[in-house]
Amino acid sequence: MTQPNDLPRRDHVSWDAARRVAHLVGRPQPAVSRALADAAGCVLASPLVSPAAVPPVDRSAMDGYAIRGPGPWRVIAHVAADSAASIELADGQACSITTGAAVPAGATSVIRDEDIELDGHWVRGPSAPGKHIRRAGEECQAGEVVLPAGVVVDGPVLGLAASLGLNRLTVIPQPVVAALITGDELVHQGTSGPGRVRDAIGPMLPDLITRAGARLGPIQHLPDTRTALAEALSPTGRPRAGGPTEPAGGLSGADLILVSGSSAAGPADHLRAVLSELGAELVVDGVDCRPGHPQAVARLGDGRLVVGLPGNPLAALSAFLTVGVAAISRLRGLPLPALAVAAIPGGVACHPHSTRLVPVRVTGQGAVPVGHGGSAMLRGAAGADALAVVEPGPAEAIAARLLPLDPGARPWGG
Protein backbone atom coordinates (compact mmCIF):
# COMPACT_ATOMS: atom_id res chain seq x y z
CA MET A 1 0.00 0.00 0.00
CA THR A 2 1.43 3.37 -0.97
CA GLN A 3 1.78 5.86 1.87
CA PRO A 4 0.38 9.39 1.29
CA ASN A 5 3.03 11.92 0.33
CA ASP A 6 2.26 14.21 3.26
CA LEU A 7 3.10 11.56 5.86
CA PRO A 8 6.66 10.84 7.03
CA ARG A 9 8.06 7.37 6.36
CA ARG A 10 8.75 5.48 9.56
CA ASP A 11 12.32 4.71 8.59
CA HIS A 12 13.08 8.35 7.85
CA VAL A 13 14.89 10.39 10.49
CA SER A 14 14.45 14.05 11.32
CA TRP A 15 16.61 16.66 9.61
CA ASP A 16 18.54 17.38 12.80
CA ALA A 17 19.06 13.69 13.53
CA ALA A 18 20.38 13.13 10.00
CA ARG A 19 23.00 15.86 10.45
CA ARG A 20 24.08 14.45 13.82
CA VAL A 21 24.32 10.88 12.56
CA ALA A 22 26.22 11.91 9.41
CA HIS A 23 28.69 13.75 11.63
CA LEU A 24 29.12 10.89 14.07
CA VAL A 25 29.66 8.13 11.50
CA GLY A 26 32.88 9.51 10.06
CA ARG A 27 36.36 9.08 11.50
CA PRO A 28 38.85 11.97 11.38
CA GLN A 29 41.93 11.37 9.28
CA PRO A 30 45.14 10.41 11.17
CA ALA A 31 47.37 13.36 12.03
CA VAL A 32 50.36 13.99 9.77
CA SER A 33 53.26 16.44 9.67
CA ARG A 34 53.02 18.87 6.76
CA ALA A 35 55.28 21.62 5.44
CA LEU A 36 53.62 25.03 5.67
CA ALA A 37 53.18 25.14 1.90
CA ASP A 38 51.12 21.94 2.04
CA ALA A 39 49.04 22.61 5.16
CA ALA A 40 46.43 25.10 3.93
CA GLY A 41 42.89 23.79 4.41
CA CYS A 42 43.96 21.18 6.96
CA VAL A 43 43.04 21.36 10.66
CA LEU A 44 45.53 21.70 13.50
CA ALA A 45 45.82 18.31 15.20
CA SER A 46 47.71 19.75 18.16
CA PRO A 47 48.00 23.21 19.69
CA LEU A 48 50.30 25.70 18.01
CA VAL A 49 53.07 26.45 20.51
CA SER A 50 55.65 29.19 20.05
CA PRO A 51 59.22 27.86 20.38
CA ALA A 52 60.52 31.34 21.22
CA ALA A 53 59.41 34.81 22.29
CA VAL A 54 57.95 36.94 19.48
CA PRO A 55 59.51 39.35 18.91
CA PRO A 56 62.74 38.04 20.44
CA VAL A 57 64.03 41.59 21.10
CA ASP A 58 62.56 45.09 21.21
CA ARG A 59 61.86 46.11 17.60
CA SER A 60 60.76 49.19 15.75
CA ALA A 61 57.19 49.20 14.52
CA MET A 62 57.87 51.98 12.00
CA ASP A 63 60.43 53.42 9.63
CA GLY A 64 61.81 56.51 11.34
CA TYR A 65 64.22 57.51 14.10
CA ALA A 66 64.88 55.83 17.42
CA ILE A 67 65.38 58.54 20.05
CA ARG A 68 66.28 58.77 23.72
CA GLY A 69 64.89 61.30 26.15
CA PRO A 70 63.46 64.74 25.35
CA GLY A 71 64.23 66.45 22.04
CA PRO A 72 65.51 67.84 19.88
CA TRP A 73 67.80 64.93 19.07
CA ARG A 74 71.12 64.83 17.32
CA VAL A 75 71.41 62.10 14.67
CA ILE A 76 74.48 60.03 15.41
CA ALA A 77 74.05 57.27 12.83
CA HIS A 78 72.20 56.03 9.77
CA VAL A 79 72.46 52.27 9.99
CA ALA A 80 71.25 49.13 8.28
CA ALA A 81 68.35 47.22 9.79
CA ASP A 82 70.57 44.47 11.16
CA SER A 83 73.06 46.74 12.91
CA ALA A 84 70.92 49.21 14.88
CA ALA A 85 71.14 47.00 17.97
CA SER A 86 74.91 47.57 18.11
CA ILE A 87 74.39 51.25 18.89
CA GLU A 88 73.68 52.71 22.32
CA LEU A 89 71.90 56.05 22.52
CA ALA A 90 72.50 58.72 25.11
CA ASP A 91 69.98 61.39 26.10
CA GLY A 92 69.30 63.72 23.19
CA GLN A 93 70.57 61.32 20.54
CA ALA A 94 68.77 59.68 17.60
CA CYS A 95 69.44 56.93 15.08
CA SER A 96 67.57 56.17 11.85
CA ILE A 97 65.76 52.83 11.95
CA THR A 98 63.59 50.63 9.74
CA THR A 99 60.48 48.64 10.55
CA GLY A 100 61.34 45.38 12.29
CA ALA A 101 64.89 46.37 13.23
CA ALA A 102 66.09 45.89 16.80
CA VAL A 103 66.01 49.26 18.58
CA PRO A 104 69.30 50.62 19.89
CA ALA A 105 70.07 50.23 23.59
CA GLY A 106 68.71 53.14 25.56
CA ALA A 107 66.02 54.10 23.03
CA THR A 108 62.85 55.37 24.67
CA SER A 109 60.63 55.62 21.56
CA VAL A 110 60.55 55.77 17.77
CA ILE A 111 59.31 58.73 15.74
CA ARG A 112 57.97 57.73 12.34
CA ASP A 113 59.42 59.35 9.22
CA GLU A 114 56.26 61.28 8.34
CA ASP A 115 56.32 63.06 11.73
CA ILE A 116 60.00 64.04 11.65
CA GLU A 117 61.36 67.57 11.14
CA LEU A 118 64.95 67.21 9.93
CA ASP A 119 67.38 70.13 10.30
CA GLY A 120 70.88 69.08 9.35
CA HIS A 121 72.00 66.62 12.01
CA TRP A 122 69.02 67.37 14.26
CA VAL A 123 65.52 65.95 14.31
CA ARG A 124 62.36 67.10 16.02
CA GLY A 125 58.96 65.51 16.33
CA PRO A 126 56.26 64.22 18.70
CA SER A 127 57.32 61.44 21.01
CA ALA A 128 55.89 59.46 23.88
CA PRO A 129 57.59 56.79 26.00
CA GLY A 130 57.48 53.42 24.23
CA LYS A 131 55.77 54.82 21.11
CA HIS A 132 56.20 52.62 17.98
CA ILE A 133 58.34 50.03 19.79
CA ARG A 134 57.29 46.38 19.79
CA ARG A 135 58.58 44.98 23.06
CA ALA A 136 60.23 41.56 23.28
CA GLY A 137 57.59 38.89 23.88
CA GLU A 138 54.77 41.33 23.12
CA GLU A 139 52.99 38.84 20.84
CA CYS A 140 53.85 35.68 22.75
CA GLN A 141 56.37 34.10 25.09
CA ALA A 142 58.42 30.95 24.51
CA GLY A 143 56.26 27.88 25.17
CA GLU A 144 53.00 29.81 24.94
CA VAL A 145 50.00 28.18 23.21
CA VAL A 146 48.96 30.66 20.54
CA LEU A 147 46.25 28.57 18.84
CA PRO A 148 44.33 25.51 20.09
CA ALA A 149 43.94 22.26 18.19
CA GLY A 150 40.95 22.21 15.85
CA VAL A 151 41.68 25.48 14.06
CA VAL A 152 41.46 25.44 10.26
CA VAL A 153 44.81 26.33 8.72
CA ASP A 154 44.36 29.36 6.47
CA GLY A 155 46.59 32.20 5.29
CA PRO A 156 46.81 34.04 8.63
CA VAL A 157 47.55 30.78 10.47
CA LEU A 158 50.34 29.97 8.02
CA GLY A 159 51.75 33.45 8.40
CA LEU A 160 51.62 33.17 12.19
CA ALA A 161 53.37 29.79 12.11
CA ALA A 162 56.13 31.25 9.94
CA SER A 163 56.52 34.27 12.25
CA LEU A 164 57.01 31.82 15.15
CA GLY A 165 59.86 30.19 13.24
CA LEU A 166 57.99 26.98 12.44
CA ASN A 167 58.50 25.08 9.17
CA ARG A 168 55.96 22.29 9.65
CA LEU A 169 52.58 21.77 11.30
CA THR A 170 50.89 18.67 12.73
CA VAL A 171 47.50 18.56 11.04
CA ILE A 172 44.50 16.44 10.18
CA PRO A 173 44.61 16.35 6.37
CA GLN A 174 41.69 17.20 4.16
CA PRO A 175 39.53 14.22 3.17
CA VAL A 176 39.15 13.29 -0.49
CA VAL A 177 35.56 13.46 -1.76
CA ALA A 178 34.60 11.89 -5.09
CA ALA A 179 31.24 11.70 -6.83
CA LEU A 180 29.24 9.32 -9.01
CA ILE A 181 26.60 11.01 -11.19
CA THR A 182 24.06 8.46 -12.43
CA GLY A 183 21.41 8.90 -15.09
CA ASP A 184 20.89 7.62 -18.65
CA GLU A 185 18.88 10.77 -19.38
CA LEU A 186 21.70 13.19 -18.62
CA VAL A 187 23.48 15.25 -21.27
CA HIS A 188 26.61 17.30 -20.67
CA GLN A 189 26.45 19.86 -23.48
CA GLY A 190 23.68 22.10 -24.75
CA THR A 191 20.08 22.31 -23.59
CA SER A 192 17.59 19.71 -22.39
CA GLY A 193 15.16 18.05 -24.75
CA PRO A 194 12.46 15.39 -24.72
CA GLY A 195 13.73 12.54 -22.59
CA ARG A 196 17.06 14.32 -22.01
CA VAL A 197 18.10 16.46 -19.05
CA ARG A 198 21.17 18.68 -18.82
CA ASP A 199 23.34 17.57 -15.90
CA ALA A 200 23.42 20.34 -13.28
CA ILE A 201 24.68 18.32 -10.33
CA GLY A 202 28.03 17.36 -11.88
CA PRO A 203 29.08 20.99 -12.47
CA MET A 204 27.75 22.01 -9.03
CA LEU A 205 29.54 19.49 -6.83
CA PRO A 206 33.26 20.35 -7.29
CA ASP A 207 32.87 23.87 -5.91
CA LEU A 208 30.72 22.64 -3.03
CA ILE A 209 33.25 19.93 -2.14
CA THR A 210 36.22 22.28 -2.05
CA ARG A 211 34.32 25.01 -0.19
CA ALA A 212 33.40 22.41 2.43
CA GLY A 213 37.12 21.93 3.06
CA ALA A 214 37.71 18.65 1.21
CA ARG A 215 40.00 17.73 -1.67
CA LEU A 216 38.24 17.00 -4.92
CA GLY A 217 38.44 13.42 -6.12
CA PRO A 218 37.14 11.97 -9.41
CA ILE A 219 33.73 13.03 -10.72
CA GLN A 220 32.45 10.02 -12.66
CA HIS A 221 29.30 9.61 -14.75
CA LEU A 222 27.56 6.22 -14.75
CA PRO A 223 24.68 4.62 -16.62
CA ASP A 224 21.60 3.63 -14.65
CA THR A 225 22.64 0.02 -14.02
CA ARG A 226 23.19 -1.83 -10.78
CA THR A 227 26.33 -3.44 -12.17
CA ALA A 228 27.96 -0.13 -13.03
CA LEU A 229 27.24 1.33 -9.59
CA ALA A 230 28.42 -1.77 -7.75
CA GLU A 231 31.63 -1.87 -9.75
CA ALA A 232 32.33 1.81 -9.10
CA LEU A 233 31.76 1.52 -5.33
CA SER A 234 33.71 -1.70 -4.94
CA PRO A 235 37.19 -1.22 -3.45
CA THR A 236 38.64 -2.97 -6.53
CA GLY A 237 36.24 -1.47 -9.04
CA ARG A 238 37.40 0.37 -12.13
CA PRO A 239 35.95 3.65 -13.36
CA ARG A 240 33.73 3.48 -16.39
CA ALA A 241 33.61 5.97 -19.23
CA GLY A 242 30.43 7.91 -19.80
CA GLY A 243 30.94 11.59 -19.08
CA PRO A 244 33.20 14.54 -19.75
CA THR A 245 34.89 14.23 -16.37
CA GLU A 246 36.00 10.63 -16.67
CA PRO A 247 38.80 10.16 -14.10
CA ALA A 248 42.15 8.53 -14.59
CA GLY A 249 41.82 6.33 -11.52
CA GLY A 250 39.26 4.59 -9.32
CA LEU A 251 37.51 5.67 -6.14
CA SER A 252 39.39 3.49 -3.63
CA GLY A 253 41.40 6.53 -2.52
CA ALA A 254 38.31 8.58 -1.68
CA ASP A 255 37.23 9.01 1.93
CA LEU A 256 33.66 9.93 0.98
CA ILE A 257 31.74 9.19 -2.23
CA LEU A 258 28.69 11.18 -3.26
CA VAL A 259 26.19 9.27 -5.38
CA SER A 260 23.50 11.33 -7.10
CA GLY A 261 20.40 10.17 -8.92
CA SER A 262 20.18 6.67 -7.47
CA SER A 263 18.98 7.24 -3.92
CA ALA A 264 15.17 7.10 -4.31
CA ALA A 265 12.94 4.06 -4.79
CA GLY A 266 12.39 4.03 -8.56
CA PRO A 267 13.37 1.30 -11.01
CA ALA A 268 16.66 3.08 -11.84
CA ASP A 269 17.58 3.73 -8.18
CA HIS A 270 20.07 1.02 -7.24
CA LEU A 271 22.06 2.62 -4.43
CA ARG A 272 20.48 0.86 -1.46
CA ALA A 273 20.57 -2.55 -3.14
CA VAL A 274 24.22 -2.07 -4.04
CA LEU A 275 25.10 -0.91 -0.53
CA SER A 276 23.43 -4.05 0.86
CA GLU A 277 25.31 -6.20 -1.66
CA LEU A 278 28.61 -4.64 -0.55
CA GLY A 279 27.83 -5.19 3.14
CA ALA A 280 27.66 -1.46 3.91
CA GLU A 281 26.13 -0.11 7.10
CA LEU A 282 23.21 2.16 6.15
CA VAL A 283 22.98 4.75 8.94
CA VAL A 284 20.62 7.27 7.34
CA ASP A 285 17.85 5.93 5.10
CA GLY A 286 15.78 8.95 4.16
CA VAL A 287 15.26 12.27 5.92
CA ASP A 288 12.05 14.07 6.78
CA CYS A 289 12.86 17.24 4.84
CA ARG A 290 11.72 18.90 1.63
CA PRO A 291 13.42 19.00 -0.75
CA GLY A 292 15.92 16.18 -0.39
CA HIS A 293 14.09 13.46 1.54
CA PRO A 294 15.58 10.40 -0.34
CA GLN A 295 19.13 11.16 0.88
CA ALA A 296 21.19 8.40 2.52
CA VAL A 297 24.43 7.89 4.44
CA ALA A 298 26.31 4.59 4.62
CA ARG A 299 29.70 3.28 5.67
CA LEU A 300 31.46 0.65 3.57
CA GLY A 301 33.47 -2.13 5.15
CA ASP A 302 36.76 -0.38 4.32
CA GLY A 303 35.65 2.76 6.18
CA ARG A 304 34.74 4.87 3.16
CA LEU A 305 31.51 6.84 3.53
CA VAL A 306 28.81 6.98 0.87
CA VAL A 307 26.29 9.82 0.75
CA GLY A 308 23.26 9.35 -1.48
CA LEU A 309 21.99 12.54 -3.10
CA PRO A 310 18.63 12.84 -4.86
CA GLY A 311 18.68 13.37 -8.62
CA ASN A 312 16.91 16.74 -8.63
CA PRO A 313 19.41 19.61 -8.37
CA LEU A 314 18.01 21.57 -5.39
CA ALA A 315 17.25 18.32 -3.58
CA ALA A 316 20.86 17.20 -4.17
CA LEU A 317 22.16 20.56 -2.95
CA SER A 318 19.98 20.35 0.16
CA ALA A 319 21.19 16.84 0.91
CA PHE A 320 24.84 17.78 0.43
CA LEU A 321 24.49 20.73 2.79
CA THR A 322 22.61 18.56 5.30
CA VAL A 323 24.57 15.32 5.56
CA GLY A 324 27.49 15.83 3.17
CA VAL A 325 28.89 18.86 4.98
CA ALA A 326 28.30 17.19 8.35
CA ALA A 327 30.27 14.10 7.29
CA ILE A 328 33.10 16.15 5.78
CA SER A 329 33.35 18.22 8.96
CA ARG A 330 33.84 15.05 11.00
CA LEU A 331 36.46 13.70 8.59
CA ARG A 332 38.33 16.97 9.01
CA GLY A 333 38.21 16.68 12.80
CA LEU A 334 35.79 19.60 13.16
CA PRO A 335 32.55 19.86 15.16
CA LEU A 336 29.15 19.90 13.52
CA PRO A 337 28.79 23.43 12.08
CA ALA A 338 26.64 25.72 14.21
CA LEU A 339 23.74 27.50 12.53
CA ALA A 340 22.68 31.08 13.15
CA VAL A 341 19.03 32.05 13.61
CA ALA A 342 17.30 34.87 11.71
CA ALA A 343 13.85 36.36 11.62
CA ILE A 344 11.73 35.74 8.51
CA PRO A 345 9.80 38.94 7.68
CA GLY A 346 6.21 37.99 6.95
CA GLY A 347 6.81 34.38 7.95
CA VAL A 348 6.97 31.25 5.82
CA ALA A 349 4.61 28.29 5.75
CA CYS A 350 5.61 25.19 7.70
CA HIS A 351 5.14 21.63 6.48
CA PRO A 352 3.07 19.53 8.91
CA HIS A 353 5.63 16.72 9.20
CA SER A 354 8.84 17.62 7.37
CA THR A 355 11.52 20.27 7.72
CA ARG A 356 11.39 22.72 4.84
CA LEU A 357 14.62 24.06 3.32
CA VAL A 358 13.79 27.40 1.76
CA PRO A 359 16.25 29.56 -0.26
CA VAL A 360 16.59 32.96 1.44
CA ARG A 361 18.68 36.11 1.11
CA VAL A 362 20.03 37.46 4.40
CA THR A 363 19.30 41.19 4.81
CA GLY A 364 19.30 43.70 7.62
CA GLN A 365 15.65 42.86 8.19
CA GLY A 366 16.20 39.11 8.35
CA ALA A 367 16.01 36.13 5.98
CA VAL A 368 13.85 36.90 2.96
CA PRO A 369 12.60 33.98 0.82
CA VAL A 370 13.62 34.40 -2.83
CA GLY A 371 11.22 31.88 -4.38
CA HIS A 372 11.97 29.23 -7.01
CA GLY A 373 12.46 26.60 -4.31
CA GLY A 374 11.21 23.52 -6.15
CA SER A 375 13.36 20.39 -5.91
CA ALA A 376 14.39 20.60 -9.60
CA MET A 377 15.18 24.35 -9.49
CA LEU A 378 18.48 26.09 -8.78
CA ARG A 379 17.40 29.63 -9.65
CA GLY A 380 16.36 30.37 -6.07
CA ALA A 381 19.53 28.92 -4.56
CA ALA A 382 21.74 30.76 -7.06
CA GLY A 383 20.28 34.07 -5.87
CA ALA A 384 20.24 33.17 -2.17
CA ASP A 385 22.69 33.20 0.73
CA ALA A 386 21.28 30.29 2.73
CA LEU A 387 18.56 27.72 3.11
CA ALA A 388 16.19 28.59 5.92
CA VAL A 389 15.61 25.48 8.05
CA VAL A 390 11.88 25.73 8.71
CA GLU A 391 10.75 23.33 11.43
CA PRO A 392 7.58 21.23 10.93
CA GLY A 393 4.45 22.74 12.40
CA PRO A 394 0.83 23.62 11.86
CA ALA A 395 1.29 27.30 11.02
CA GLU A 396 3.95 29.74 9.84
CA ALA A 397 7.51 30.19 11.06
CA ILE A 398 8.66 33.74 11.83
CA ALA A 399 12.29 32.69 12.42
CA ALA A 400 14.55 29.87 11.27
CA ARG A 401 18.09 28.59 11.41
CA LEU A 402 20.25 29.36 8.39
CA LEU A 403 22.16 26.69 6.48
CA PRO A 404 24.79 28.63 4.45
CA LEU A 405 24.88 27.87 0.74
CA ASP A 406 28.64 28.40 0.95
CA PRO A 407 29.70 25.41 3.10
CA GLY A 408 32.88 27.21 4.15
CA ALA A 409 31.16 30.36 5.38
CA ARG A 410 30.90 31.22 9.03
CA PRO A 411 27.32 31.46 10.32
CA TRP A 412 25.81 34.92 10.42
CA GLY A 413 26.52 36.41 13.81
CA GLY A 414 28.96 33.56 14.56
Side-chain angles (χ1 to χ4, degrees):
M1 179 177 178
T2 302
Q3 201 164 18
N5 289 334
D6 61 345
L7 294 178
R9 279 178 42 172
R10 293 181 181 178
D11 54 342
H12 281 192
V13 297
S14 71
W15 186 84
D16 284 291
R19 279 186 90 224
R20 290 195 300 269
V21 171
H23 185 260
L24 289 172
V25 73
R27 297 184 179 92
Q29 306 293 292
V32 297
S33 175
R34 288 269 175 91
L36 297 188
D38 301 321
C42 299
V43 173
L44 291 178
S46 59
L48 191 62
V49 179
S50 179
V54 178
V57 295
D58 290 353
R59 285 180 171 166
S60 176
M62 294 285 176
D63 290 344
Y65 286 80
I67 56 95
R68 176 171 176 173
W73 303 273
R74 185 174 183 275
V75 180
I76 64 169
H78 296 278
V79 297
D82 59 354
S83 61
S86 64
I87 296 172
E88 182 173 357
L89 297 179
D91 284 341
Q93 292 183 336
C95 171
S96 66
I97 197 166
T98 57
T99 302
V103 298
T108 55
S109 64
V110 171
I111 306 175
R112 60 182 186 169
D113 276 335
E114 49 265 52
D115 296 329
I116 283 288
E117 296 178 21
L118 189 60
D119 181 12
H121 294 292
W122 294 87
V123 295
R124 293 176 174 82
S127 67
K131 187 73 170 177
H132 300 315
I133 294 179
R134 292 189 63 206
R135 297 299 183 187
E138 179 180 277
E139 186 164 2
C140 60
Q141 299 292 330
E144 183 177 346
V145 174
V146 296
L147 286 177
V151 171
V152 177
V153 178
D154 57 10
V157 173
L158 292 171
L160 173 62
S163 72
L164 301 178
L166 299 174
N167 299 318
R168 304 186 69 84
L169 293 173
T170 301
V171 296
I172 299 173
Q174 295 172 283
V176 176
V177 177
L180 299 173
I181 313 297
T182 69
D184 292 335
E185 77 283 6
L186 298 180
V187 295
H188 310 290
Q189 298 288 333
T191 59
S192 301
R196 307 295 282 169
V197 177
R198 178 66 186 268
D199 173 33
I201 296 175
M204 176 174 65
L205 287 180
D207 180 68
L208 291 172
I209 290 168
T210 54
R211 285 181 182 271
R215 290 172 52 207
L216 181 63
I219 305 293
Q220 181 181 341
H221 291 81
L222 296 180
D224 279 326
T225 69
R226 179 168 170 171
T227 300
L229 185 58
E231 184 176 308
L233 288 177
S234 171
T236 58
R238 295 181 178 180
R240 304 171 68 94
T245 53
E246 179 187 352
L251 305 181
S252 59
D255 302 294
L256 186 152
I257 303 169
L258 305 169
V259 181
S260 78
S262 189
S263 63
D269 296 305
H270 305 292
L271 179 60
R272 285 165 174 78
V274 168
L275 291 173
S276 177
E277 176 185 321
L278 296 176
E281 177 188 8
L282 187 62
V283 296
V284 173
D285 186 9
V287 179
D288 285 325
C289 70
R290 295 171 185 272
H293 68 276
Q295 59 194 281
V297 180
R299 182 165 55 199
L300 296 169
D302 58 9
R304 291 177 299 159
L305 299 183
V306 177
V307 169
L309 306 178
N312 277 321
L314 183 59
L317 174 61
S318 300
F320 177 85
L321 296 175
T322 298
V323 294
V325 170
I328 291 170
S329 296
R330 176 67 172 178
L331 293 173
R332 299 181 70 198
L334 295 173
L336 187 65
L339 303 181
V341 177
I344 303 179
V348 64
C350 300
H351 187 278
H353 305 293
S354 296
T355 297
R356 289 190 65 203
L357 301 174
V358 180
V360 294
R361 179 168 290 281
V362 181
T363 71
Q365 290 70 48
V368 179
V370 298
H372 302 285
S375 64
M377 301 179 183
L378 286 176
R379 178 177 171 180
D385 301 308
L387 299 180
V389 182
V390 182
E391 302 291 346
E396 286 191 340
I398 59 173
R401 287 172 292 166
L402 300 179
L403 186 64
L405 283 162
D406 179 352
R410 294 182 179 180
W412 289 267

